[in-house]
Amino acid sequence: MQLKRVSLYVIKKTLKLVSLLIAISVLSFLLVSYSPIDPIQSYIGADMVRVSPEQRDNIAAYWGLDDSKTEQFLNWSKAVLQGNLGTSLIYRAPVADVIAERFLASLILMGIAWLMSGFIGFILGIISGIQEGSWVDRIIKGYCFILASTPAFWLALLCLMLFSVSLGWFPVGLASPAGILTEDVTWLERAKHLVLPALTLSIIGVANVALHTRQKLIEVLGSEYARFAKAKGETGFLLLWRHGLRNISLPAVSLHFASFGELFGGAVLAEQVFSYPGLGQAVVQAGLGGDIPLLLGIVLFSTLFVFAGNLLADLLYQFIDPRMRKEELQ
Amino acid sequence: MEIQQSQKKENIPLAQNEKSPPLFEVNHLALTFRQYEKGLRESNLRVIRNFDLSINQGEIVAVVGASGSGKSLLADTILGILPEHAETSGNILFQGKILTKENQIRLRGKDIVLIPQSTNALDPLMKVGKQVQSVVKNKHKKAVQERIFQKVGLAKDTSDRYPFELSGGMIRRVLVSTAMVSDAKLVIADEPTPGLDEQARDEAIQYMKKLATEGKAIMFITHDITAALEIADKVAVFYAGETVEIANTEDFSGKGENLRHPYTKALWNALPQNDFIPLKGIQPLPGESVSGCVFAARCPIATDVCTEDVPQLRPLNHGMVRCYHA
């Protein structure tokens, strides 16, 4: 019985993912195919004047640009189904390799930012919610409102101006010092290059988690079961530990795991400002350079990434909340 | 016990000729909420102003009042779980000792327990067995809880269930069992009956009675006079934040000739099985300032003196009443 339910759940989720991927592919392909950027021109760059129309046509034919849009899409899909994401035009390397390499760099950045924003947001939310209406609460709330309305790239620029330019504590950009071989770069240097982008990215996520946690905690503390718990002699930390944490973690968990999309979006901006060679930067370059295979590859990959986040939230939810467990499986 | 006698010198005399001090006593209790209106102007919202009550060991005293009379806040006041902007005056005595903030913290959940009204009073994400066990102070938490569940007719596997898996009636039994597992001397039952069908209501009432026969004192907060009369020894009638009368259960009979306060009489005669005469008007809202008797505006026998001065609670005919004309 249990097995049947679980397999049904897996099938349902898989179908959702497949249909999502198909929809995303079609939509993204449609969008890029109407992009004004000429892939051949961006491929050849400044040498364009020296390329004859015949050579141009040859490249176009080689890349299959002469085929109809539908045909191009079908060709691409066929290759993708066979596990071949194609070759990136700007990096001259298989798309899968580029994504793997870039994602690893981004993963560290996003991972640190994600953990930090979740932790700080949760703590701030609790502090604020416990002391609702106090000056501490007001400061935290105000801080969150300011954060929530701050554009990521602007914050990145501010951090850059303050910490790199004025104070000189951190490097201005890149993931490692320029002019040094990869194998000679120390961990400390890598970490130093990571601080500012990670900081910027983490600050963005704090407000959401903090405000929702605060709201939920206020709700929990005002609930009948909190009143009853107090009547049973539970106060302060014990009350929070027994009845608060599990209840308030629900919105925080779903929000934070569902924020993988925002995290990725934030990473695009942060990496661009700090010239950090991650997936976010690659997507911008692919878009501007008309690198359709890479762009589509990253789009598919980020879809998977966001989907995984939502799925994790879903699973965790059922772990935390017994009501969901019963509902989902019934 | 003797030492406390001196602290009680301000007390109004009790109706009953008790030899030892009652287990639980409330004198001139008032509760106000501080509120900030625009800017820093402060205003006070007075919810309870003259609450008096005493309960002996093994006794059930019903506190009867209409909705909005401040009944539930009464429970919070006694337990000391009011929000921070609440201020209380008057005194509450437990076992003859003044119930200070520190005492409240020490005693609640131990000597004084609450049976809450709402079925939402259980943590939705915690197994009910565990929630009952948190009240048990000795080592055999699980055994004690299982024995009580059996006593109130809950199946053994109930303790591993979550509140959402239980029916309303089962949740009430769980809530009652939290009071039963404790060694409490005073149980405050906050409206345990509304919204129940007759059978469940009778059951809930029987549990109250059972607790009382175990020697616990019960403060039974309700708006259901009939339920109150079935089990209570005394009935304190609560109107707009004041005790207007403390009557004995026997006084509620006939046309209410033995009742002392006009409000109690009106309440009694409004019952369907009696004359079914509704009382006109509404009770003063919390915070509404009333100079004299709170009931004067609706009272059929009010005179000028009623609107001028607040009548004091005085003993009358083995009970207490707050009325000039009783």
Side-chain angles (χ1 to χ4, degrees), chain A residues 5-21:
Chain A
R5 282 171 179 169
V6 171
S7 45
L8 205 74
Y9 179 80
V10 172
I11 291 170
K12 229 166 78 186
K13 285 282 168 191
T14 317
L15 280 178
K16 262 187 197 166
L17 176 62
V18 170
S19 53
L20 180 71
L21 284 175

Side-chain angles (χ1 to χ4, degrees), chain A residues 25 27-37 69 286-287 291-292 295-296:
Chain A
S25 313
L27 204 68
S28 323
F29 189 83
L30 261 176
L31 283 173
V32 278
S33 66
Y34 286 108
S35 154
I37 294 168
K69 302 259 187 229
D291 190 345
I292 297 171
L295 191 64
L296 290 180

Side-chain angles (χ1 to χ4, degrees), chain B residues 15-302:
Chain B
Q16 283 77 11
N17 302 320
E18 308 292 347
K19 281 168 193 78
S20 61
L23 177 85
F24 178 70
E25 207 178 335
V26 183
N27 297 315
H28 303 299
L29 182 74
L31 168 66
T32 39
F33 286 109
R34 267 175 290 124
Q35 282 184 321
Y36 289 100
E37 287 171 0
K38 275 175 209 154
L40 290 171
R41 216 176 59 205
E42 204 182 288
S43 76
N44 287 324
L45 185 70
R46 178 163 275 199
V47 196
I48 297 174
R49 69 168 188 181
N50 266 315
F51 183 73
D52 300 87
L53 182 82
S54 74
I55 311 178
N56 293 310
Q57 207 184 343
E59 197 176 46
I60 302 178
V61 175
V63 176
V64 176
S67 309
S69 55
K71 295 191 303 283
S72 279
L73 285 166
L74 205 55
D76 290 10
T77 313
I78 295 165
L79 291 159
I81 53 172
L82 289 162
E84 256 170 46
H85 61 285
E87 253 166 35
T88 56
S89 64
N91 58 32
I92 306 172
L93 293 115
F94 182 73
Q95 295 183 310
K97 276 184 216 143
I98 297 244
L99 202 53
T100 56
K101 269 212 154 59
E102 296 74 45
N103 280 339
Q104 281 174 329
I105 293 169
R106 202 164 46 82
L107 294 177
R108 68 180 172 226
K110 237 185 197 162
D111 284 355
I112 306 176
V113 298
L114 172 76
I115 300 178
Q117 155 189 20
S118 164
T119 46
N120 296 329
L122 293 174
D123 186 335
L125 302 185
M126 204 187 214
K127 289 178 179 166
V128 293
K130 234 180 181 168
Q131 301 198 44
V132 174
Q133 284 165 32
S134 69
V135 187
V136 186
K137 297 295 174 221
N138 63 37
K139 276 184 199 151
H140 315 289
K141 287 177 195 285
K142 202 166 165 59
V144 172
Q145 171 254 313
E146 277 171 357
R147 211 183 56 231
I148 296 288
F149 269 23
Q150 200 184 5
K151 218 169 164 182
V152 297
L154 288 169
K156 209 171 171 205
D157 63 342
T158 312
S159 60
D160 280 330
R161 294 186 176 218
Y162 290 94
F164 77 99
E165 297 174 286
L166 304 184
S167 69
M170 286 163 96
I171 288 182
R172 301 232 185 225
R173 287 186 209 176
V174 172
L175 293 175
V176 167
S177 55
T178 57
M180 291 172 101
V181 294
S182 70
D183 304 318
K185 297 185 178 69
L186 174 68
V187 176
I188 302 170
D190 185 5
E191 302 242 27
T193 55
L196 295 184
D197 61 65
E198 205 164 312
Q199 199 193 339
R201 173 183 163 280
D202 287 347
E203 196 185 292
I205 289 177
Q206 286 318 309
Y207 286 133
M208 298 300 123
K209 217 163 182 175
K210 209 168 181 177
L211 287 169
T213 47
E214 283 171 15
K216 298 185 190 337
I218 317 280
M219 178 170 163
F220 177 28
I221 301 177
T222 184
H223 64 241
D224 182 352
I225 295 191
T226 341
L229 293 179
E230 270 174 54
I231 51 163
D233 299 296
K234 282 189 288 184
V235 177
V237 182
F238 197 49
Y239 181 80
E242 288 190 5
T243 309
V244 292
E245 170 167 356
I246 296 175
N248 299 304
T249 314
E250 314 79 85
D251 300 338
F252 291 86
S253 64
K255 294 223 173 288
E257 296 86 354
N258 290 331
L259 294 171
R260 297 152 197 84
H261 199 279
Y263 176 63
T264 322
K265 283 182 191 170
L267 214 54
W268 175 243
N269 289 324
L271 289 178
Q273 61 267 42
N274 298 333
D275 286 347
F276 211 6
I277 309 166
L279 177 63
K280 286 194 174 57
I282 49 159
Q283 72 176 332
L285 295 167
E288 205 175 305
S289 67
V290 181
S291 53
C293 170
V294 276
F295 188 60
R298 299 167 80 184
C299 185
I301 54 168

